[in-house]
Amino acid sequence: MQFPDDDNGQMLAAMADAGIDLSQALDVDFFLVFDDQRDAESALEALSGSEPEGELEINFSEELSKWELIVSLNMVPEYAAIVAEETRLNDFAAEFDGMTDGWGVMQHQEGDDEFADHEHGEDCDDSCQH
């Protein structure tokens, strides 16, 4: 697959290289960051009424020293759809003095057999299919 040469294209290319099926819907996490807790909580409240299909989570990121609102949407990770969603969420976050800070997917997705819970151990040999 060919992807544009930007951060989103590079992320999608890395996902494809890792064997993730980009034609299937995945839970894509978009990260919105805010300096002020009240701004993050206000944004969360506003999104709670408008994102019924998505999951929302708020926490303080020690790494960024900012409040982080994670918007998890189940979608096919197509380049144009990712860019459109990032733009929409960045415009939304700006209303609360925030901004987007990238996106990602968890390695283990529902139905993803490659990342089974079983780890290789003493019971496994070279023919193990885990």
Side-chain angles (χ1 to χ4, degrees):
M1 284 186 185
Q2 293 293 321
F3 299 101
D5 188 20
D6 62 12
D7 289 342
N8 289 327
Q10 290 170 9
M11 174 72 109
L12 289 167
M15 290 168 60
D17 290 346
I20 297 173
D21 184 353
L22 300 180
S23 68
Q24 300 295 314
L26 301 171
D27 291 331
V28 180
D29 296 334
F30 293 90
F31 301 93
L32 286 61
V33 293
F34 305 85
D35 290 324
D36 186 83
Q37 180 179 359
R38 286 173 295 189
D39 291 336
E41 289 171 348
S42 295
L44 173 64
E45 186 176 321
L47 272 179
S48 293
S50 66
E51 296 288 341
E53 317 89 41
E55 292 186 30
L56 305 171
E57 178 182 333
I58 191 170
N59 61 57
F60 184 76
S61 171
E62 297 287 337
E63 181 180 335
L64 300 173
S65 296
K66 293 182 183 278
W67 286 90
E68 188 173 65
L69 174 57
I70 303 168
V71 180
S72 182
L73 301 173
N74 189 268
M75 61 187 290
V76 175
E78 296 170 328
Y79 179 83
I82 295 284
V83 170
E85 197 60 41
E86 263 195 320
T87 300
R88 181 184 77 83
L89 288 170
N90 194 59
D91 291 346
F92 169 81
E95 295 175 27
F96 299 90
D97 296 324
M99 59 185 261
T100 54
D101 188 37
W103 60 274
V105 298
M106 295 296 292
Q107 282 289 348
H108 177 70
Q109 296 280 336
E110 186 175 328
D112 188 351
D113 294 334
E114 182 178 347
F115 300 100
D117 289 337
H118 176 80
E119 293 183 17
H120 285 277
E122 294 176 22
D123 298 336
C124 297
D125 60 22
D126 290 339
S127 64
C128 180
Q129 296 297 311
H130 294 100

Short mmCIF file of all heavy atoms in Angstrom, two decimals, residues 33-81:
data_model
loop_
_atom_site.label_atom_id
_atom_site.label_comp_id
_atom_site.label_asym_id
_atom_site.label_seq_id
_atom_site.Cartn_x
_atom_site.Cartn_y
_atom_site.Cartn_z
N VAL A 33 -5.32 17.28 23.98
CA VAL A 33 -4.61 17.70 25.18
C VAL A 33 -5.01 19.12 25.57
O VAL A 33 -5.29 19.97 24.72
CB VAL A 33 -3.08 17.59 25.02
CG1 VAL A 33 -2.65 16.14 24.91
CG2 VAL A 33 -2.58 18.38 23.84
N PHE A 34 -5.02 19.33 26.89
CA PHE A 34 -5.44 20.60 27.48
C PHE A 34 -4.51 20.94 28.63
O PHE A 34 -4.13 20.05 29.41
CB PHE A 34 -6.88 20.50 28.01
CG PHE A 34 -7.87 20.05 26.98
CD1 PHE A 34 -8.07 18.70 26.73
CD2 PHE A 34 -8.60 20.98 26.25
CE1 PHE A 34 -8.99 18.28 25.78
CE2 PHE A 34 -9.51 20.57 25.30
CZ PHE A 34 -9.72 19.22 25.06
N ASP A 35 -4.17 22.20 28.77
CA ASP A 35 -3.35 22.63 29.91
C ASP A 35 -4.16 22.63 31.19
O ASP A 35 -3.63 22.35 32.26
CB ASP A 35 -2.79 24.04 29.67
CG ASP A 35 -1.73 24.06 28.59
OD1 ASP A 35 -0.95 23.09 28.49
OD2 ASP A 35 -1.67 25.05 27.84
N ASP A 36 -5.43 22.94 31.10
CA ASP A 36 -6.28 23.14 32.27
C ASP A 36 -7.28 22.00 32.43
O ASP A 36 -7.94 21.61 31.47
CB ASP A 36 -7.02 24.48 32.13
CG ASP A 36 -7.80 24.83 33.36
OD1 ASP A 36 -7.20 25.39 34.29
OD2 ASP A 36 -9.02 24.54 33.39
N GLN A 37 -7.38 21.46 33.63
CA GLN A 37 -8.31 20.36 33.90
C GLN A 37 -9.75 20.75 33.59
O GLN A 37 -10.50 19.96 33.03
CB GLN A 37 -8.19 19.93 35.36
CG GLN A 37 -9.12 18.78 35.72
CD GLN A 37 -8.98 18.34 37.17
OE1 GLN A 37 -8.17 18.86 37.92
NE2 GLN A 37 -9.76 17.36 37.56
N ARG A 38 -10.13 21.97 33.95
CA ARG A 38 -11.52 22.40 33.70
C ARG A 38 -11.84 22.42 32.21
O ARG A 38 -12.94 22.06 31.81
CB ARG A 38 -11.78 23.77 34.33
CG ARG A 38 -11.91 23.70 35.85
CD ARG A 38 -11.98 25.06 36.43
NE ARG A 38 -10.69 25.71 36.15
CZ ARG A 38 -10.28 26.85 36.63
NH1 ARG A 38 -11.07 27.55 37.40
NH2 ARG A 38 -9.09 27.34 36.34
N ASP A 39 -10.87 22.84 31.38
CA ASP A 39 -11.08 22.83 29.93
C ASP A 39 -11.28 21.40 29.43
O ASP A 39 -12.16 21.13 28.61
CB ASP A 39 -9.90 23.48 29.20
CG ASP A 39 -9.81 24.98 29.44
OD1 ASP A 39 -10.85 25.61 29.76
OD2 ASP A 39 -8.70 25.52 29.30
N ALA A 40 -10.45 20.48 29.92
CA ALA A 40 -10.57 19.08 29.51
C ALA A 40 -11.91 18.50 29.93
O ALA A 40 -12.56 17.79 29.16
CB ALA A 40 -9.42 18.27 30.10
N GLU A 41 -12.34 18.82 31.16
CA GLU A 41 -13.62 18.30 31.65
C GLU A 41 -14.79 18.91 30.88
O GLU A 41 -15.78 18.23 30.59
CB GLU A 41 -13.75 18.56 33.14
CG GLU A 41 -12.81 17.68 33.95
CD GLU A 41 -12.75 18.05 35.42
OE1 GLU A 41 -13.25 19.15 35.81
OE2 GLU A 41 -12.20 17.24 36.20
N SER A 42 -14.70 20.18 30.52
CA SER A 42 -15.75 20.82 29.72
C SER A 42 -15.84 20.19 28.33
O SER A 42 -16.92 19.94 27.81
CB SER A 42 -15.49 22.32 29.58
OG SER A 42 -15.59 22.96 30.83
N ALA A 43 -14.67 19.90 27.74
CA ALA A 43 -14.64 19.25 26.44
C ALA A 43 -15.24 17.84 26.53
O ALA A 43 -16.01 17.42 25.66
CB ALA A 43 -13.21 19.19 25.91
N LEU A 44 -14.90 17.12 27.60
CA LEU A 44 -15.45 15.78 27.82
C LEU A 44 -16.97 15.85 27.91
O LEU A 44 -17.66 15.05 27.27
CB LEU A 44 -14.87 15.17 29.08
CG LEU A 44 -15.47 13.84 29.54
CD1 LEU A 44 -15.20 12.75 28.52
CD2 LEU A 44 -14.92 13.45 30.90
N GLU A 45 -17.47 16.80 28.66
CA GLU A 45 -18.92 16.94 28.82
C GLU A 45 -19.59 17.24 27.48
O GLU A 45 -20.62 16.66 27.14
CB GLU A 45 -19.22 18.06 29.82
CG GLU A 45 -20.69 18.18 30.17
CD GLU A 45 -20.93 19.23 31.24
OE1 GLU A 45 -20.12 19.32 32.18
OE2 GLU A 45 -21.94 19.94 31.13
N ALA A 46 -19.00 18.12 26.70
CA ALA A 46 -19.57 18.46 25.39
C ALA A 46 -19.54 17.27 24.44
O ALA A 46 -20.49 17.02 23.70
CB ALA A 46 -18.81 19.64 24.79
N LEU A 47 -18.44 16.52 24.47
CA LEU A 47 -18.33 15.34 23.59
C LEU A 47 -19.25 14.21 24.03
O LEU A 47 -19.71 13.43 23.20
CB LEU A 47 -16.90 14.82 23.56
CG LEU A 47 -15.96 15.43 22.54
CD1 LEU A 47 -14.58 14.81 22.67
CD2 LEU A 47 -16.47 15.27 21.13
N SER A 48 -19.51 14.11 25.31
CA SER A 48 -20.36 13.03 25.83
C SER A 48 -21.72 13.01 25.15
O SER A 48 -22.29 11.95 24.93
CB SER A 48 -20.53 13.15 27.34
OG SER A 48 -19.31 12.93 27.98
N GLY A 49 -22.23 14.17 24.81
CA GLY A 49 -23.53 14.23 24.15
C GLY A 49 -23.47 14.05 22.65
O GLY A 49 -24.47 13.75 22.01
N SER A 50 -22.27 14.20 22.06
CA SER A 50 -22.20 14.18 20.60
C SER A 50 -21.44 12.98 20.03
O SER A 50 -21.39 12.81 18.83
CB SER A 50 -21.53 15.46 20.10
OG SER A 50 -20.18 15.51 20.52
N GLU A 51 -20.85 12.15 20.86
CA GLU A 51 -20.08 10.99 20.37
C GLU A 51 -20.67 9.70 20.93
O GLU A 51 -20.01 8.96 21.64
CB GLU A 51 -18.61 11.11 20.79
CG GLU A 51 -17.86 12.26 20.20
CD GLU A 51 -17.56 12.10 18.73
OE1 GLU A 51 -17.61 10.97 18.21
OE2 GLU A 51 -17.30 13.13 18.09
N PRO A 52 -21.93 9.38 20.59
CA PRO A 52 -22.54 8.20 21.19
C PRO A 52 -21.87 6.88 20.80
O PRO A 52 -21.91 5.93 21.55
CB PRO A 52 -23.99 8.25 20.68
CG PRO A 52 -23.93 9.09 19.45
CD PRO A 52 -22.80 10.06 19.65
N GLU A 53 -21.24 6.83 19.62
CA GLU A 53 -20.62 5.57 19.20
C GLU A 53 -19.23 5.39 19.79
O GLU A 53 -18.70 4.31 19.83
CB GLU A 53 -20.46 5.48 17.67
CG GLU A 53 -21.59 5.93 16.83
CD GLU A 53 -21.52 7.41 16.50
OE1 GLU A 53 -20.44 7.95 16.22
OE2 GLU A 53 -22.57 8.04 16.54
N GLY A 54 -18.60 6.47 20.21
CA GLY A 54 -17.23 6.40 20.69
C GLY A 54 -17.14 6.28 22.19
O GLY A 54 -18.11 6.49 22.91
N GLU A 55 -15.95 5.94 22.65
CA GLU A 55 -15.67 5.89 24.08
C GLU A 55 -14.77 7.06 24.41
O GLU A 55 -13.90 7.44 23.62
CB GLU A 55 -15.00 4.57 24.44
CG GLU A 55 -15.92 3.38 24.28
CD GLU A 55 -15.28 2.09 24.77
OE1 GLU A 55 -14.45 2.15 25.71
OE2 GLU A 55 -15.60 1.04 24.22
N LEU A 56 -14.97 7.62 25.60
CA LEU A 56 -14.21 8.78 26.04
C LEU A 56 -13.52 8.47 27.35
O LEU A 56 -14.08 7.79 28.21
CB LEU A 56 -15.14 9.98 26.22
CG LEU A 56 -15.99 10.36 25.01
CD1 LEU A 56 -17.02 11.41 25.39
CD2 LEU A 56 -15.11 10.86 23.87
N GLU A 57 -12.31 9.00 27.50
CA GLU A 57 -11.56 8.81 28.74
C GLU A 57 -10.72 10.06 28.98
O GLU A 57 -10.18 10.65 28.03
CB GLU A 57 -10.64 7.60 28.60
CG GLU A 57 -9.78 7.31 29.79
CD GLU A 57 -8.85 6.13 29.55
OE1 GLU A 57 -9.17 5.24 28.75
OE2 GLU A 57 -7.79 6.11 30.19
N ILE A 58 -10.63 10.48 30.22
CA ILE A 58 -9.82 11.64 30.57
C ILE A 58 -8.81 11.24 31.64
O ILE A 58 -9.12 10.44 32.52
CB ILE A 58 -10.71 12.82 31.04
CG1 ILE A 58 -9.91 14.12 31.13
CG2 ILE A 58 -11.42 12.49 32.32
CD1 ILE A 58 -10.77 15.34 31.36
N ASN A 59 -7.59 11.76 31.51
CA ASN A 59 -6.58 11.51 32.53
C ASN A 59 -5.50 12.57 32.44
O ASN A 59 -5.44 13.33 31.48
CB ASN A 59 -5.99 10.10 32.41
CG ASN A 59 -5.30 9.87 31.09
OD1 ASN A 59 -4.40 10.59 30.72
ND2 ASN A 59 -5.73 8.85 30.35
N PHE A 60 -4.65 12.62 33.46
CA PHE A 60 -3.53 13.55 33.45
C PHE A 60 -2.31 12.81 32.95
O PHE A 60 -1.93 11.78 33.49
CB PHE A 60 -3.27 14.13 34.85
CG PHE A 60 -2.19 15.17 34.84
CD1 PHE A 60 -2.45 16.45 34.37
CD2 PHE A 60 -0.91 14.86 35.27
CE1 PHE A 60 -1.45 17.41 34.33
CE2 PHE A 60 0.10 15.82 35.24
CZ PHE A 60 -0.17 17.10 34.77
N SER A 61 -1.70 13.34 31.88
CA SER A 61 -0.49 12.73 31.32
C SER A 61 0.73 13.31 32.01
O SER A 61 1.06 14.48 31.81
CB SER A 61 -0.42 12.98 29.81
OG SER A 61 0.84 12.58 29.31
N GLU A 62 1.39 12.49 32.82
CA GLU A 62 2.62 12.93 33.50
C GLU A 62 3.69 13.28 32.46
O GLU A 62 4.45 14.23 32.63
CB GLU A 62 3.14 11.83 34.43
CG GLU A 62 2.20 11.48 35.56
CD GLU A 62 2.15 12.54 36.64
OE1 GLU A 62 3.10 13.34 36.76
OE2 GLU A 62 1.14 12.57 37.37
N GLU A 63 3.72 12.48 31.38
CA GLU A 63 4.73 12.68 30.33
C GLU A 63 4.59 14.05 29.68
O GLU A 63 5.58 14.73 29.41
CB GLU A 63 4.58 11.57 29.28
CG GLU A 63 5.57 11.65 28.15
CD GLU A 63 5.37 10.53 27.14
OE1 GLU A 63 4.83 9.47 27.51
OE2 GLU A 63 5.75 10.74 25.99
N LEU A 64 3.35 14.47 29.41
CA LEU A 64 3.10 15.75 28.75
C LEU A 64 2.86 16.89 29.73
O LEU A 64 2.87 18.05 29.33
CB LEU A 64 1.88 15.64 27.83
CG LEU A 64 1.94 14.62 26.70
CD1 LEU A 64 0.59 14.52 26.01
CD2 LEU A 64 3.02 14.98 25.71
N SER A 65 2.56 16.55 30.97
CA SER A 65 2.13 17.53 31.99
C SER A 65 0.89 18.29 31.50
O SER A 65 0.79 19.50 31.66
CB SER A 65 3.26 18.51 32.32
OG SER A 65 4.33 17.83 32.91
N LYS A 66 0.00 17.53 30.88
CA LYS A 66 -1.26 18.09 30.37
C LYS A 66 -2.39 17.11 30.64
O LYS A 66 -2.17 15.93 30.86
CB LYS A 66 -1.17 18.34 28.85
CG LYS A 66 -0.19 19.43 28.45
CD LYS A 66 -0.21 19.63 26.95
CE LYS A 66 0.80 20.66 26.51
NZ LYS A 66 0.36 22.01 26.65
N TRP A 67 -3.60 17.62 30.59
CA TRP A 67 -4.79 16.78 30.67
C TRP A 67 -5.05 16.22 29.29
O TRP A 67 -4.98 16.93 28.30
CB TRP A 67 -5.98 17.58 31.20
CG TRP A 67 -5.80 17.81 32.65
CD1 TRP A 67 -5.18 18.87 33.25
CD2 TRP A 67 -6.18 16.92 33.70
NE1 TRP A 67 -5.15 18.70 34.61
CE2 TRP A 67 -5.77 17.52 34.92
CE3 TRP A 67 -6.84 15.70 33.74
CZ2 TRP A 67 -5.99 16.93 36.15
CZ3 TRP A 67 -7.06 15.11 34.96
CH2 TRP A 67 -6.64 15.72 36.15
N GLU A 68 -5.35 14.94 29.24
CA GLU A 68 -5.52 14.24 27.98
C GLU A 68 -6.93 13.66 27.92
O GLU A 68 -7.37 12.97 28.83
CB GLU A 68 -4.48 13.12 27.92
CG GLU A 68 -4.36 12.40 26.64
CD GLU A 68 -3.18 11.44 26.68
OE1 GLU A 68 -3.20 10.48 27.48
OE2 GLU A 68 -2.23 11.67 25.93
N LEU A 69 -7.61 13.97 26.84
CA LEU A 69 -8.93 13.41 26.57
C LEU A 69 -8.76 12.46 25.40
O LEU A 69 -8.30 12.85 24.32
CB LEU A 69 -9.93 14.52 26.24
CG LEU A 69 -11.33 14.11 25.80
CD1 LEU A 69 -12.01 13.23 26.84
CD2 LEU A 69 -12.17 15.35 25.53
N ILE A 70 -9.07 11.19 25.63
CA ILE A 70 -8.92 10.17 24.59
C ILE A 70 -10.30 9.88 24.02
O ILE A 70 -11.22 9.52 24.75
CB ILE A 70 -8.30 8.88 25.15
CG1 ILE A 70 -6.94 9.20 25.78
CG2 ILE A 70 -8.16 7.83 24.05
CD1 ILE A 70 -6.37 8.07 26.61
N VAL A 71 -10.41 10.06 22.70
CA VAL A 71 -11.66 9.79 22.00
C VAL A 71 -11.41 8.54 21.17
O VAL A 71 -10.64 8.55 20.21
CB VAL A 71 -12.06 10.98 21.09
CG1 VAL A 71 -13.36 10.68 20.36
CG2 VAL A 71 -12.16 12.27 21.89
N SER A 72 -12.05 7.44 21.55
CA SER A 72 -11.87 6.17 20.86
C SER A 72 -13.06 5.93 19.93
O SER A 72 -14.20 5.84 20.38
CB SER A 72 -11.75 5.03 21.88
OG SER A 72 -11.52 3.81 21.22
N LEU A 73 -12.77 5.84 18.64
CA LEU A 73 -13.82 5.64 17.64
C LEU A 73 -13.54 4.36 16.86
O LEU A 73 -12.40 4.12 16.45
CB LEU A 73 -13.86 6.82 16.66
CG LEU A 73 -14.12 8.20 17.26
CD1 LEU A 73 -13.95 9.28 16.20
CD2 LEU A 73 -15.50 8.26 17.89
N ASN A 74 -14.56 3.55 16.65
CA ASN A 74 -14.42 2.35 15.85
C ASN A 74 -14.62 2.75 14.40
O ASN A 74 -15.69 3.20 14.01
CB ASN A 74 -15.44 1.29 16.29
CG ASN A 74 -15.16 -0.03 15.62
OD1 ASN A 74 -15.69 -0.34 14.57
ND2 ASN A 74 -14.30 -0.82 16.24
N MET A 75 -13.55 2.62 13.61
CA MET A 75 -13.60 3.07 12.22
C MET A 75 -12.55 2.32 11.39
O MET A 75 -11.60 1.78 11.94
CB MET A 75 -13.32 4.59 12.15
CG MET A 75 -11.96 4.99 12.69
SD MET A 75 -11.69 6.78 12.82
CE MET A 75 -11.58 7.24 11.10
N VAL A 76 -12.76 2.31 10.08
CA VAL A 76 -11.75 1.78 9.18
C VAL A 76 -10.66 2.85 9.08
O VAL A 76 -10.97 4.01 8.79
CB VAL A 76 -12.34 1.47 7.79
CG1 VAL A 76 -11.25 1.03 6.83
CG2 VAL A 76 -13.42 0.39 7.91
N PRO A 77 -9.41 2.51 9.39
CA PRO A 77 -8.35 3.51 9.42
C PRO A 77 -7.85 3.91 8.03
O PRO A 77 -6.72 3.61 7.64
CB PRO A 77 -7.26 2.84 10.26
CG PRO A 77 -7.45 1.39 9.99
CD PRO A 77 -8.94 1.19 9.83
N GLU A 78 -8.69 4.59 7.29
CA GLU A 78 -8.31 5.09 5.98
C GLU A 78 -7.70 6.48 6.16
O GLU A 78 -8.14 7.26 7.00
CB GLU A 78 -9.53 5.18 5.07
CG GLU A 78 -10.15 3.84 4.77
CD GLU A 78 -11.49 3.96 4.06
OE1 GLU A 78 -12.24 4.93 4.30
OE2 GLU A 78 -11.79 3.07 3.26
N TYR A 79 -6.72 6.79 5.34
CA TYR A 79 -6.00 8.05 5.48
C TYR A 79 -6.93 9.26 5.51
O TYR A 79 -6.87 10.08 6.44
CB TYR A 79 -4.98 8.19 4.33
CG TYR A 79 -4.21 9.48 4.40
CD1 TYR A 79 -3.10 9.60 5.22
CD2 TYR A 79 -4.61 10.59 3.66
CE1 TYR A 79 -2.39 10.78 5.31
CE2 TYR A 79 -3.90 11.78 3.74
CZ TYR A 79 -2.80 11.87 4.56
OH TYR A 79 -2.12 13.05 4.65
N ALA A 80 -7.81 9.39 4.53
CA ALA A 80 -8.69 10.56 4.46
C ALA A 80 -9.61 10.64 5.68
O ALA A 80 -9.87 11.73 6.20
CB ALA A 80 -9.51 10.53 3.17
N ALA A 81 -10.10 9.50 6.15
CA ALA A 81 -10.99 9.48 7.32
C ALA A 81 -10.23 9.90 8.57
O ALA A 81 -10.76 10.65 9.40
CB ALA A 81 -11.60 8.10 7.49
#
